[in-house]
Amino acid sequence: MGSIGKYTIPSAIKGVRVSQLLQIEDERGAVLHMLRPGDDPVVVGEIYFSIINPGRVKAWKLHKHMTQRLAVPAGKVRLVLFDGRADSASRAKVEEIILGRPHAYYLAIIPPGIWYGLQNISAEPALIANCADREHDPAEVDELPLASDTIPYAWKEALP
Amino acid sequence: MGSIGKYTIPSAIKGVRVSQLLQIEDERGAVLHMLRPGDDPVVVGEIYFSIINPGRVKAWKLHKHMTQRLAVPAGKVRLVLFDGRADSASRAKVEEIILGRPHAYYLAIIPPGIWYGLQNISAEPALIANCADREHDPAEVDELPLASDTIPYAWKEALP
């Protein structure tokens, strides 16, 4: 019962913003905030969900123009970021962020130019909501395989 | 594997629109559409989730101005509608709509003036996403208890 307030979590990568989202719980369930009019940026281009099965990884992707706004209302995931921007103060930095209720029900905002991947680290299907700032366009997406010389990070995929 | 196309489900209540949403599945999980730029209405005021525990009911609510756009990416729910609009061709009609993956992954659009309630009819927590067309404002919400003389519908709440 009760609610958890809003605060910001520091990120090692310039332009990435992670903040606590409100959760209002009662005996029937909960109401979970995701995006409200006061939020910046407010433009919503497309809203979709990604389901990841336990142990599985979806990686790597980089958007040249799209800003991702992610929250994880079910399950728990490891979000891994790699700063691929040539002109960034945090260039080539890697960061891991855990997302999931109740203690890490966060809004994670990922600007363009960041490689990112997600692994479900819970025993149930994880649900990632994305309120992107523009419509999906395959032409603005770069992809790399899980194992790549570009990104110094080793995924440990746990296959069933 | 594969995807399910988009089609519209008829509703007994005027102005209610229910349409199949795209699901793209692979061995890692799925991508589930919710709202895209081509959709009408496109204005997004607030995005939030409602979690309902198994068997529990959240009812009744009526919005005087807000349009609800609901999808259920996890669990299965019974959405019950009652047309409370004095001037509606479907005035006082009751309708039940099942929402949940994979066969009823729908976008349900509920215009203002409709009483609605939701029951989780699955064994797992159900997650309802709402992309409302305006910000939550308690002044534009009417509420009634589960049992009310106004609405001829008997919820059978299954408490744990």
Side-chain angles (χ1 to χ4, degrees), chain A residues 145-157:
Chain A
L146 266 59
S148 122
D149 289 341
T150 309
I151 304 172
Y153 186 85
W155 292 103
K156 291 171 203 78
E157 195 165 26

Side-chain angles (χ1 to χ4, degrees), chain A residues 26-38 42 44-54 56-59 71 73-74 101 105 127 129 131 134-136 157, chain B residues 26-38 42 44-54 56-59 71 73-74 101 105 127 129 131 134-136 157:
Chain A
D26 67 21
E27 68 288 355
R28 300 170 303 170
V31 171
L32 311 174
H33 283 195
M34 168 123 198
L35 215 65
R36 317 197 78 202
V42 293
V44 175
E46 177 163 356
I47 297 154
Y48 67 90
F49 306 107
S50 181
I51 305 269
I52 305 182
N53 294 328
R56 300 303 298 247
V57 174
K58 291 189 177 180
R101 292 185 66 211
Y105 182 57
L127 193 133
C131 297
R134 62 190 66 211
E135 187 173 12
H136 173 67
E157 195 165 26
Chain B
D26 67 20
E27 69 287 354
R28 300 170 303 170
V31 171
L32 311 174
H33 282 196
M34 169 125 197
L35 216 64
R36 316 196 78 203
V42 292
V44 175
E46 177 162 357
I47 297 154
Y48 66 90
F49 306 107
S50 181
I51 304 270
I52 305 182
N53 294 328
R56 300 303 299 246
V57 175
K58 291 189 177 180
R101 293 185 64 211
Y105 183 57
L127 192 133
C131 296
R134 63 189 67 210
E135 188 173 12
H136 173 68
E157 195 165 26

